[in-house]
Amino acid sequence: MTKTWAVLRDRNARLYLTGVLVSGFGTSALWLVSGVWVKDLTGSDGLAALCMLAMWAPTLAGPLLGTLADRVRRKPLLIGANLLLAALLPVLLTARVPVVLTVLVVYGAVGVVHDAAESALVAGAVDPSLLGDFNGLRMAITEGMKVIAPLAGAGLYALHGGPAVALLDALTFALAAGVYAGLRVREAGLSRAEAPVQERAPAREEHPGPSPRTPFTEGARHIWAHPALRPLILAGGTTMFCAGLNGALLYAVIDGLGRSPAYAGVLYAVQGAGSVAVGVFSGPALRRLGERRFAGYAVVLTAVAAGLRAVPSEPLALAVSAAIGVGLPGVLIAALTAVQRETPDALLGRTAATAHTLVFAPNALGLAAGAALVEPVGQRPLSAVLGVVWLASAVPLFQRPASAERIASRSPSDANPA
């Protein structure tokens, strides 16, 4: 835990985490309220569901959007993204459904660019030995906000309506921009006279600045050719597909327990508590196990927990939710940390965004598959089969990785990233 506390003593890491806390609160609040708001305006469940799709859909363009973080200076891009959303969100005060959906699409697209710039900038601004701890704490904060902020947003919506939540979110982005402005980083391609002074020299290897000629597909090529990244990203994508399928079974699980649908809130809260816990302890675990084994054990835990949902028991259901909360973020933390450590700086923005797309896009397919199968097949058989299939996906993470030299010889991206 010593290095975990060291993250909080690192000025840049502390500022990043503060920015995540502030903007994450507003995002989580708006995520819930936007759907409720559109439902109240139109009475349509379909249009309300489109709100979540509108915010999520730009993730599919991650490889292209993330390239922006490799072609311009990342700190100004990060600040500009927050200021853009702060200026854009008050447009929601018009309370017109087409405007709401359009703003949410832009919101999602800017979020993809923001996350790519943040991941790339963090890798150079935070000591490499602290990246696992940082990503764990970031996950803990994000998951904690998913528990707290929707409740706060729903309360504010009940009192003052959707415009008040939109203004709150705009304020959080304005504050986050101010926080990111305080970062002390030196970006590739800047001279010493132009760059702010860092508190310490970065331990990360220096790489040439990004080139406009480098195609956005180079991030995907780098992931596929890298012996450490490929199995982690594949495991992350498989895990999120299985998580989507498992999530689609939730209300059938609750029916089997004889509980009302509102019991989902209890299970989500328990899962959120598990996610916060793993975020705090992931740094030490990554140092002890390495990214592959840490992700492998996380997949095993999550798969076994999902399979046990075939047993109708309320105490077991609570334990399973906590275990999924611990295991699911573990795979994501390991994958993101590996991407930051193993990717040249000139490719890091597009590679991080590509990794996010490859990992999170399968979640929607899993949700669709679960929704289609739960009634004709039944929740218990599906849960049992899902647990076995999910468990099998962990096998490659415990196998000996391929020779880095042999794979690198087939990959021009490693030798010439820009």
Side-chain angles (χ1 to χ4, degrees):
M1 292 297 291
T2 303
K3 287 202 172 185
T4 300
W5 288 113
V7 172
L8 300 178
R9 293 195 295 270
D10 182 283
R11 184 181 185 277
N12 279 331
R14 194 165 61 246
L15 285 172
Y16 274 116
L17 292 174
T18 302
V20 169
L21 175 66
V22 173
S23 62
F25 181 89
T27 296
S28 296
L30 187 69
W31 188 276
L32 170 69
V33 166
S34 61
V36 177
W37 191 6
V38 169
K39 169 70 173 176
D40 285 345
L41 289 172
T42 65
S44 170
D45 291 330
L47 287 175
L50 276 179
C51 291
M52 183 174 292
L53 176 62
M55 294 180 75
W56 176 87
T59 304
L60 296 174
L64 182 59
L65 293 171
T67 304
L68 185 61
D70 291 334
R71 294 183 174 173
V72 301
R73 291 172 178 167
R74 290 155 181 165
K75 178 180 171 180
L77 180 61
L78 197 59
I79 296 169
N82 282 274
L83 291 177
L84 174 60
L85 290 177
L88 180 66
L89 284 165
V91 176
L92 293 178
L93 270 63
T94 60
R96 297 175 58 191
V97 173
V99 173
V100 172
L101 293 175
T102 301
V103 168
L104 292 179
V105 170
V106 177
Y107 193 112
V110 174
V112 172
V113 176
H114 179 284
D115 289 347
E118 181 193 85
S119 295
L121 205 54
V122 161
V126 175
D127 191 309
S129 68
L130 300 179
L131 281 175
D133 302 85
F134 174 88
N135 289 324
L137 290 175
R138 189 189 190 286
M139 180 68 73
I141 291 171
T142 301
E143 293 301 316
M145 288 301 99
K146 288 180 181 178
V147 175
I148 298 169
L151 296 175
L156 183 61
Y157 178 82
L159 291 173
H160 301 291
V165 180
L167 289 176
L168 171 65
D169 199 11
L171 176 61
T172 64
F173 279 111
L175 292 174
V179 171
Y180 291 131
L183 293 171
R184 296 176 181 173
V185 294
R186 180 181 294 120
E187 300 191 58
L190 296 180
S191 69
R192 290 184 178 274
E194 294 173 296
V197 178
Q198 283 187 296
E199 290 181 325
R200 49 172 170 70
R204 185 177 175 83
E205 182 183 354
E206 292 290 336
H207 294 278
S211 166
R213 297 186 300 275
T214 306
F216 72 89
T217 55
E218 204 64 19
R221 292 179 62 186
H222 173 68
I223 290 172
W224 184 251
H226 199 288
L229 297 184
R230 180 170 56 184
L232 281 168
I233 299 303
L234 288 175
T238 303
T239 290
M240 291 308 295
F241 174 84
C242 293
L245 202 157
N246 183 61
L249 307 180
L250 178 63
Y251 289 101
V253 170
I254 293 170
D255 285 343
L257 298 175
R259 288 281 194 165
S260 70
Y263 191 67
V266 176
L267 297 181
Y268 277 130
V270 173
Q271 183 173 327
S275 297
V276 171
V278 75
V280 174
F281 293 102
S282 61
L286 280 168
R287 280 190 293 277
R288 184 176 181 84
L289 300 171
E291 285 96 351
R292 288 173 66 104
R293 282 200 297 159
F294 178 66
Y297 288 131
V299 171
V300 169
L301 176 63
T302 314
V304 171
L308 288 174
R309 276 189 161 166
V311 181
S313 164
E314 188 167 330
L316 183 60
L318 293 170
V320 161
S321 291
I324 291 173
V326 170
L328 194 57
V331 184
L332 307 180
I333 293 169
L336 176 59
T337 302
V339 166
Q340 290 174 314
R341 286 177 175 164
E342 302 294 335
T343 303
D345 180 76
L347 285 180
L348 193 44
R350 76 200 75 188
T351 303
T354 300
H356 275 83
T357 298
L358 294 174
V359 168
F360 289 107
N363 184 254
L365 299 177
L367 284 167
L373 293 172
V374 63
E375 291 189 1
V377 178
Q379 176 264 320
R380 293 181 190 175
L382 272 177
S383 291
V385 172
L386 174 63
V388 174
V389 173
W390 203 341
L391 191 62
S393 73
V395 173
L397 294 173
F398 293 104
Q399 293 176 337
R400 189 184 187 90
S403 166
E405 292 80 6
R406 186 172 69 251
I407 293 182
S409 67
R410 300 197 303 266
S411 171
S413 64
D414 286 340
N416 184 26

